[in-house]
Amino acid sequence: MSLRRRIGTFLVAATCALVSVAASAHAILVDSTPKANGTVPAGHVQFVLKYNSKIDQHRSLLTLVKPDQSQSVLTIDTHGKSNELDTSTDLAPGSYTLRWQALALDGHLTRGDLPFTVTAKP
Ligand SMILES: [Cu+2]
């Protein structure tokens, strides 16, 4: 194989690698329970954050910002679907934010805030 031919083969391989990285893009939040700015009744609250790609659940992070602005890290359920970050916790009424950091399998970290309100039980 000539040198020029070998360089051509290398360029094709390199371009494919770039395209496949772009195709397995970083994690974008596509749906959630509760919804952003949604409300849930007080008690045991289930969270489901659904992404457009698989997530490394062991190296992602969910932090709850409480009404008094204190924060606590929530344990991610690693038995859930591979494109979700799931957790649950007991919550009293008030305004909260679920702060998420999702590590996609392409190694890219994305983050966002999910504000929601816990209402008193009727
Ligand atoms: Cu990415």
Side-chain angles (χ1 to χ4, degrees), residues 24-26 106 108:
S24 62
H26 46 265
D106 71 354
H108 291 165

Side-chain angles (χ1 to χ4, degrees), residues 69-109:
Q69 300 304 306
S70 68
Q71 301 186 6
S72 64
V73 173
L74 301 178
T75 304
I76 294 168
D77 175 10
T78 54
H79 301 290
K81 290 183 183 166
S82 60
N83 67 323
E84 290 181 2
L85 293 178
D86 300 345
T87 190
S88 65
T89 191
D90 291 317
L91 295 179
S95 295
Y96 294 81
T97 297
L98 184 63
R99 189 156 283 165
W100 58 264
Q101 282 185 27
L103 184 68
L105 295 188
D106 71 354
H108 291 165
L109 190 69

Side-chain angles (χ1 to χ4, degrees), residues 3-43:
L3 179 60
R4 177 173 292 187
R5 183 105 180 253
R6 262 188 274 175
I7 290 173
T9 304
F10 170 77
L11 285 176
V12 168
T15 305
C16 287
L18 283 174
V19 168
S20 65
V21 165
S24 62
H26 46 265
I28 296 166
L29 187 68
V30 293
D31 196 14
S32 68
T33 304
K35 305 278 187 204
N37 302 307
T39 59
V40 289

